[in-house]
Amino acid sequence: MLCLNNFVVIGIANDIDINSVTMLITKLSKDVNLNFIEIDFNSSKVIVGFRERKCASNNEEMTIILHGIFLGETLTSLTEKINSNIKAFLECYRYQGVTVAIDRINKLVYVIEDPGATRSIFYYITPKVFVVSTDMELLKTVVDVLNIHYNLDVLALYEIMELGHIVSRRTLYKGVNRLFSGEFIVIKIKDNGFWYRIDKYWDITKLDTTPNRDSIVLLLRLIIEHLNMLCSEIPGSKIIVPVSGGIDSSLLLLLASKARRCNRINAFHVNLGYREELLRSRVIATKAGAPLYIKLFTGSQLREKYLELISYMLKLIGYPRENDASLPYLISAQLIRSQFREGMIISLGGEGSDPVFGGSDYYKFFAVKLIVEKKVAEFLKLVKTIARYNFEHEKPVFMILKP
């Protein structure tokens, strides 16, 4: 199941001015074109705004909102799992998507981040008001209408200057925080306001990172299996793999070519004048048996696109990150859409996988987080894993994929 469904969940105590609530719904309906579900509790009101009706379920006991990719599931199957046992649902949560579950009977609001935090969840919570959203712009709109004042977070700016990105829960706005990967937030609706806690259902630091051939083979098979499931659930879709000629995108294209149910694989290369990258991209596309589409892009065009899209990107991720590929991926997505104008297009990228496997500078985030939490053993394990990681461990991957 695929849900492109940014949402906002708003909790307002009954002693808040009702005119503000009416004004809020009117503005979001008119300016953002959201659908709404209003839930009245004795002491407060919860309002859920979302874009796609097909990705929402609402009855007298439970309200569910989905955003992301839920392979092998339907709205009905997910609703049944949540209704039967939400704790068991959390223990098995491995979807590339965000779930909101509002338990009307027990007066609980669950918002579940995906294991890789591929979709940011921002939250602002006080005893009288809470706002949770996957879109920073939506959250800011709600906060503004409710006349809540916020300032830039100086400590977040300090983290950016010192570490290159924000490593804590902070965002650029004071009082607005974010969930980490594998976390969920539970908001309890009480007579005198709102109470919340943040918990984990999955912890990346507890993974066994010892490299061996069996684990690599299993990983590759799982990736191919998930690609087959994706193509089965969205028949007729075009799979586009942006390639640079490097090891990550080349591996992804080769894996996609082995997913037998994905019979419309295409490679897409954006070239900034580097002939070697173009040559390597041609070679890997030929090996994968995929047609290669090439888009030439100048440095000045790239700068113009960055300036055009950076504000749009920040409203989705809410904060800048060192070595973040979000802007290049967004530019690639726009170019891909202009090339393939019809039908459902699925673009595959490797963004987010580098930190899991020890690559890129994003490991700093995990290291600092473990130090702050005083998890010495886990910190030493992370350092050992990063020190051990090198190109020699990538060679078996190409041996397995070699025709």
Side-chain angles (χ1 to χ4, degrees):
M1 184 178 185
L2 175 64
C3 287
L4 304 177
N5 190 31
N6 274 328
F7 63 81
V8 59
V9 184
I10 308 159
I12 302 174
N14 283 342
D15 51 2
I16 299 293
D17 183 11
I18 192 65
N19 290 328
S20 298
V21 179
T22 304
M23 188 188 309
L24 174 62
I25 294 176
T26 302
K27 182 174 179 60
L28 292 178
S29 300
K30 181 180 178 181
D31 297 351
V32 193
N33 194 27
L34 295 182
N35 302 295
F36 285 96
I37 296 173
E38 295 185 48
I39 307 170
D40 285 314
F41 296 96
N42 292 332
S43 58
S44 58
K45 180 190 291 285
V46 173
I47 303 166
V48 186
F50 57 97
R51 299 189 186 278
E52 295 287 340
R53 291 186 182 275
K54 68 175 184 178
C55 299
S57 170
N58 185 43
N59 57 49
E60 294 180 355
E61 296 182 355
M62 188 77 69
T63 298
I64 295 171
I65 307 294
L66 304 175
H67 173 46
I69 301 172
F70 300 83
L71 290 179
E73 300 286 2
T74 63
L75 182 58
T76 302
S77 66
L78 288 168
T79 301
E80 289 175 352
K81 290 179 179 179
I82 293 171
N83 282 333
S84 62
N85 190 335
I86 194 165
K87 289 184 178 180
F89 178 72
L90 282 166
E91 289 175 0
C92 300
Y93 198 91
R94 296 296 181 268
Y95 307 108
Q96 193 182 344
V98 175
T99 299
V100 176
I102 302 176
D103 184 344
R104 297 186 177 210
I105 306 300
N106 297 306
K107 299 182 179 181
L108 294 171
V109 178
Y110 294 85
V111 184
I112 310 168
E113 177 65 278
D114 71 67
T118 53
R119 289 158 182 81
S120 298
I121 297 179
F122 308 107
Y123 61 91
Y124 172 89
I125 304 178
T126 70
K128 296 297 182 181
V129 175
F130 73 79
V131 187
V132 184
S133 182
T134 51
D135 186 326
M136 179 64 84
E137 198 68 24
L138 268 179
L139 186 146
K140 286 171 61 182
T141 299
V142 173
V143 168
D144 287 339
V145 172
L146 295 176
N147 292 319
I148 298 171
H149 301 287
Y150 55 87
N151 299 307
L152 286 177
D153 193 326
V154 177
L155 291 178
L157 295 174
Y158 176 78
E159 289 183 31
I160 293 171
M161 289 186 291
E162 288 297 311
L163 299 169
H165 57 277
I166 302 174
V167 299
S168 65
R169 294 190 185 281
R170 296 183 180 89
T171 66
L172 291 176
Y173 305 102
K174 195 170 185 178
V176 179
N177 296 311
R178 60 192 173 96
L179 290 181
F180 291 142
S181 58
E183 289 187 337
F184 64 97
I185 188 168
V186 184
I187 303 172
K188 176 69 175 175
I189 301 167
K190 295 187 171 184
D191 292 337
N192 58 347
F194 306 112
W195 169 91
Y196 78 98
R197 67 180 174 88
I198 295 172
D199 208 342
K200 271 188 173 291
Y201 65 86
W202 183 76
D203 191 347
I204 192 173
T205 62
K206 294 181 180 179
L207 290 177
D208 182 4
T209 55
T210 305
N212 61 73
R213 185 183 177 86
D214 291 340
S215 61
I216 293 175
V217 171
L218 176 61
L219 173 63
L220 299 181
R221 285 176 178 169
L222 286 173
I223 293 173
I224 295 172
E225 178 186 326
H226 275 71
L227 286 172
N228 278 323
M229 291 175 63
L230 184 63
C231 291
S232 297
E233 291 195 14
I234 312 175
S237 58
K238 297 176 183 176
I239 305 294
I240 315 297
V241 183
V243 292
S244 63
I247 186 171
D248 295 336
S249 59
S250 299
L251 173 59
L252 191 58
L253 180 60
L254 289 169
L255 286 171
S257 70
K258 291 183 175 293
R260 299 306 178 193
R261 296 179 188 174
C262 301
N263 52 12
R264 303 178 71 183
I265 306 293
N266 299 274
F268 189 83
H269 176 69
V270 180
N271 192 269
L272 298 174
Y274 301 109
R275 298 183 63 182
E276 185 179 349
E277 287 188 358
L278 178 58
L279 176 62
R280 290 202 304 262
S281 296
R282 289 185 186 276
V283 170
I284 200 66
T286 302
K287 187 174 182 179
L292 176 66
Y293 295 84
I294 302 167
K295 176 69 176 179
L296 299 178
F297 221 56
T298 64
S300 60
Q301 286 177 307
L302 184 64
R303 285 192 295 273
E304 288 175 8
K305 273 291 183 182
Y306 264 63
L307 293 173
E308 174 191 333
L309 296 174
I310 191 166
S311 60
Y312 174 76
M313 199 65 237
L314 284 177
K315 85 171 188 175
L316 297 178
I317 64 174
Y319 56 97
R321 297 181 297 198
E322 184 179 34
N323 294 335
D324 197 333
S326 299
L327 275 168
Y329 268 110
L330 184 57
I331 293 172
S332 296
Q334 290 193 342
L335 295 176
I336 288 169
R337 171 51 76 182
S338 66
Q339 178 70 48
F340 305 91
R341 296 181 181 276
E342 298 180 357
M344 175 63 75
I345 298 172
I346 301 173
S347 176
L348 303 178
E351 170 73 344
S353 62
D354 278 348
V356 175
F357 293 102
S360 84
D361 290 338
Y362 200 47
Y363 67 84
K364 295 177 185 176
F365 164 81
F366 296 108
V368 173
K369 183 171 179 288
L370 291 173
I371 292 172
V372 170
E373 295 177 355
K374 299 180 181 179
K375 296 181 178 179
V376 179
E378 288 88 344
F379 171 75
L380 294 175
K381 181 181 178 182
L382 176 65
V383 172
K384 184 178 179 182
T385 300
I386 294 170
R388 187 172 60 235
Y389 185 87
N390 57 55
F391 182 73
E392 293 298 315
H393 296 133
E394 294 175 340
K395 287 184 177 179
V397 173
F398 285 96
M399 291 170 58
I400 294 166
L401 292 172
K402 187 175 181 180

